[in-house]
Each structure stands twice: as structure tokens, then as C-alpha cells.
Amino acid sequence: MCIVPRTTMLDIVSGNLSTAGVEETLKDFWVSRPRRPHEGRKIAGVAAGIAQRYQIDPVVVRVAFVAMALCNGAGFLIYLLGWLWLAQDNDEVSAAEALIGRGRSSTPVPLTILLGLAVLPATGFFVDGGFTMVGGVLLSVGAVYLLHRGRGSLNRPPSAPEVRPVDTAESPTTRVTPPAWDPLGAAPFAWDLPEPTPTTAVPAEQPSRPPHRRRRSRVGAATFGLSLVVLAGALVASSYSAWFTAQHIIGLVVATLGLGLLVGAFRGGGRGLIGLVVPLSLAGAVLTSADFSTFDGSEHVGDVDARPVTIEQLQSRYDTNAGTVDLDLTGLPASGTATTAVEVGVGSVKVRVPASADVTVTCHTGLGSVECLGPEKGGRNNTATVTDGGTGEGGLKLELDVRAGVGEVVVRRG
């Protein structure tokens, strides 16, 4: 008979055995992977399921997804994969496994197919050559490995089997030995008897100690100080390298704070960093998505309201860094040629042109909606170029360039 030493999951996740490698940890994560709960979810319950499985604050997990979303959208990819491959409570298998006939899932088949189709563009393969896919997968695998290695024994599903490293070395053959009280083996008939129970002395009562006062975690303060150092270093480096833009600097600070939140999730503390991560992440998302090239560096802020009635009164440019531009061109004469540009950093632009004028207009918004002599459309980096002859033949010819960094652009007939 061969003896195979039993390796418990606690040994694996605590790192007591050298044979517990990355492969075994990831395999055990898969067989005991989190389930998406019905309660406490915001979208599909991926973050709530991870937090519940490893008994950490769900806010920390959600902030981690937001921070990863700033890395070329890697957070969206990982969330989609979790939606597909993590089963809901009371389901036999995940949505993706149910699609290939492995069991039952309450996720509708059309939704599963739609999520599967959304994975391909989420990898960023058609945007940046797959950087999102490679970077996101490597980051997620590393995070899962560390998380499961440190807390895989917590809240473990009772039905999940243990994955133990296989010892390929030949195990030694056991030999039946006599009990300790008969070392010479003089009584073979008694070899199967149990060892005599040792007599143990009753330990004396220890004096009661005052309750241990938990030391206050320094993770939050240390992370905040490190983020200030990163911010100062990035600001200095911005004078020597064009890479250190506002978006990249915010990203570096958010990454530092996110690292502190991850450490605090295991060692306690650092929850106050969430108040910095959330607004900085939102600011970084806006700076990344919006086009602020319309800012001219001036201090012009406020609303602009203009109604020129002659071509001479029409200015070549109307702009404001923050506010509204309302330009009414319906009072211009019925003949001639006029050109103007309208630019707004943050706000809205409304331009009304004569019904009979020949208009060539380019409308653009970095983040917002555009209605350029036609139907409205919204989103990011919207550009429309329209040439419209109006209701008359000949007459006034208008050339317009209307732009907004963040906001609304509307060009209509008067």
C-alpha cells in the first residue's frame, strides 16, 4: 500500500507547500469560482460575487473594475467574461456553459450570444492591436492568483472539490510497526491495538488579559503619500516628455490609489481612498473621451448671443471656453458669401441659418450630441459635414464650422 500525503486547500492558499504552484491555484479557483448573487448587484453581480466569495468589500472590487476600465477598456472585457463564465445563484452552470449544453442557466440564450459577440470588440483587437486583450488578461490572471492564494479558503462552496498537486515521485512503501509500548514486537497479537491514551495534566487557568486593541492600519496614509509623490514626479516629467498629459497623470495616480485599495482589502484600512479614486476615475474617463482641442487658452467664459444682419457684422469666429453660443443668421441678406466658425469648450452651440441659403456646414462634438441640418445623433467624437441648398436657388452662400468639446451642437433652418 502506498501513502499519498494529503494536501489541504488551506495549505495551498497559505503557501506552506512548494508544490502549490500557479496551475493548481488557478484550477482550484475554477472549481470553486464565485457565483453571481441576485441581491446586492449593480449590473450582473460579477463584482458582488467576487466580494462575497472572498469576503472583501464590494466597493473595492467595483473600484478595481472602474480603474481597469481606464486601461483601454480592460475592465469591460473582464466584466463581460465574468458575466459569461460565472454562474448565478441557483443555476447549475454559467451562461456560456449552458450555451454548449453543460447544464441549465437562467440567462436567456439571446443575451448570452449578445455578450459573446461583445467580447471581441472589447478585446481592443480592432482598435489597438489587442493590447487590451493581452494586458487585461495578464492583469486579471495575476489578480485572481493572488486573491485566491490569499483568501481561497474563505467562504468556499461546500460542493467544490479540492484540487491538490499530484506527487509524481514514487511514494515509499509503508511497513507495519509495533506499538510504542512494545518496541521489540514480542506481542504480535497486540500490534493492532491502539496506543495507550497518555495522561494529560489539566492546565492551570491563565489570568485574563485585557482585550487586544487593534492597531490602526497605515495603508491609507502610506498610499496617499505615495500618490502625492507619483503626482509630483509626473508633473516634473511633463516638462520633459509629452506623454505625461493630464489623462496619463490621473491614470498613474488612480493606479497608485487602486494598489493601496487592493493591499487594504487584505490587511485592513484604506477605505477612505475610495473618495479619491471615484472622482479621479470619472475625470480621467471624461478627459480620455472628450476632445478639448476647442479650448483656445483664453479666459473667455460665459454665454455669447449674436444676431448679425449684414455680412460685415458677421464675425469670423464666435467662441467660449464654458457657456452657450446662440448665433442667429436668419437676418443676413439674401445674397453674398459669408464664413464663420463657432467653438465651445464645455456647453452648447445653437446656430440658425436662413431657409433659402446654400449652406455647407461641418459639425463636431468630442462628447455629446450633434444635430446638423438633420437627425440628432449622440456619442463620442461625432462629426457631420452637410451641404444643403435650402428652399431657394442661388442667393446667400454660408460656410460654417461648428464645434464643441463637451456638449451639444445644433444647426437648424430658421
Side-chain angles (χ1 to χ4, degrees):
M1 180 180 67
C2 297
I3 297 178
V4 178
R6 184 177 184 274
T7 305
T8 64
M9 182 58 210
L10 183 60
D11 293 328
I12 294 178
V13 299
S14 61
N16 292 333
L17 296 180
S18 59
T19 57
V22 177
E23 182 179 358
E24 287 76 20
T25 303
L26 294 179
K27 285 182 178 179
D28 190 75
F29 163 78
W30 180 253
V31 299
S32 64
R33 62 191 185 273
R35 283 183 168 266
R36 297 184 286 115
H38 295 286
E39 298 180 358
R41 60 168 57 184
K42 299 299 182 182
I43 302 177
V46 176
I50 295 174
Q52 187 180 87
R53 168 68 174 88
Y54 297 105
Q55 295 184 359
I56 58 180
D57 195 330
V59 177
V60 175
V61 183
R62 294 187 178 106
V63 170
F65 272 110
V66 172
M68 290 185 65
L70 299 179
C71 300
N72 291 345
F76 297 111
L77 171 63
I78 305 305
Y79 198 93
L80 283 174
L81 294 176
W83 197 340
L84 283 168
W85 292 101
L86 298 183
Q88 288 192 110
D89 282 342
N90 303 324
D91 284 357
E92 294 178 355
V93 294
S94 64
E97 291 171 305
L99 191 64
I100 58 178
R102 294 288 183 87
R104 180 189 60 82
S105 173
S106 60
T107 304
V109 174
L111 177 59
T112 303
I113 296 175
L114 183 63
L115 293 173
L117 294 175
V119 167
L120 186 59
T123 60
F125 182 79
F126 297 106
V127 179
D128 57 5
F131 173 78
T132 301
M133 177 177 62
V134 176
V137 169
L138 291 178
L139 284 175
S140 62
V141 170
V144 167
Y145 173 75
L146 294 176
L147 186 63
H148 193 77
R149 190 173 180 86
R151 304 177 74 87
S153 61
L154 302 177
N155 201 22
R156 188 176 177 83
S159 59
E162 292 182 0
V163 176
R164 297 176 295 172
V166 178
D167 188 1
T168 57
E170 183 179 357
S171 301
T173 304
T174 59
R175 183 175 62 88
V176 180
T177 56
W181 54 267
D182 188 21
L184 298 179
F189 63 86
W191 285 7
D192 294 331
L193 296 179
E195 293 284 349
T197 304
T199 303
T200 57
V202 178
E205 293 186 2
Q206 299 291 333
S208 60
R209 296 181 179 179
H212 176 69
R213 187 175 181 180
R214 187 176 180 180
R215 297 180 59 185
R216 187 175 180 179
S217 175
R218 299 181 180 178
V219 172
T223 304
F224 180 73
L226 181 60
S227 65
L228 292 180
V229 173
V230 171
L231 176 61
L235 291 176
V236 173
S238 63
S239 302
Y240 302 94
S241 174
W243 184 88
F244 290 91
T245 61
Q247 299 94 313
H248 291 158
I249 293 175
I250 290 179
L252 292 174
V253 175
V254 169
T256 305
L257 296 174
L259 179 62
L261 283 172
L262 183 61
V263 174
F266 296 102
R267 305 193 62 177
R271 291 197 59 180
L273 300 174
I274 297 174
L276 293 175
V277 171
V278 172
L280 286 176
S281 299
L282 293 176
V286 171
L287 289 173
T288 303
S289 303
D291 178 14
F292 289 97
S293 60
T294 55
F295 284 94
D296 58 1
S298 66
E299 298 180 357
H300 185 193
V301 175
D303 298 337
V304 176
D305 191 350
R307 288 170 172 77
V309 295
T310 65
I311 295 179
E312 290 74 16
Q313 291 179 352
L314 180 65
Q315 300 179 15
S316 61
R317 177 184 175 91
Y318 299 88
D319 65 86
T320 180
N321 283 339
T324 301
V325 174
D326 190 345
L327 180 61
D328 188 352
L329 303 179
T330 58
L332 292 177
S335 61
T337 301
T339 302
T340 188
V342 183
E343 294 193 7
V344 172
V346 177
S348 63
V349 181
K350 294 182 180 180
V351 180
R352 288 181 294 278
V353 298
S356 60
D358 294 337
V359 180
T360 300
V361 56
T362 297
C363 304
H364 172 81
T365 179
L367 183 65
S369 62
V370 168
E371 181 183 342
C372 196
L373 294 178
E376 179 182 354
K377 63 177 182 178
R380 176 185 173 187
N381 289 332
N382 285 321
T383 302
T385 300
V386 178
T387 299
D388 193 310
T391 60
E393 296 181 0
L396 179 65
K397 298 184 181 297
L398 281 176
E399 293 184 6
L400 306 175
D401 189 355
V402 186
R403 299 176 178 272
V406 179
E408 178 187 34
V409 171
V410 177
V411 178
R412 296 174 180 170
R413 293 283 182 178

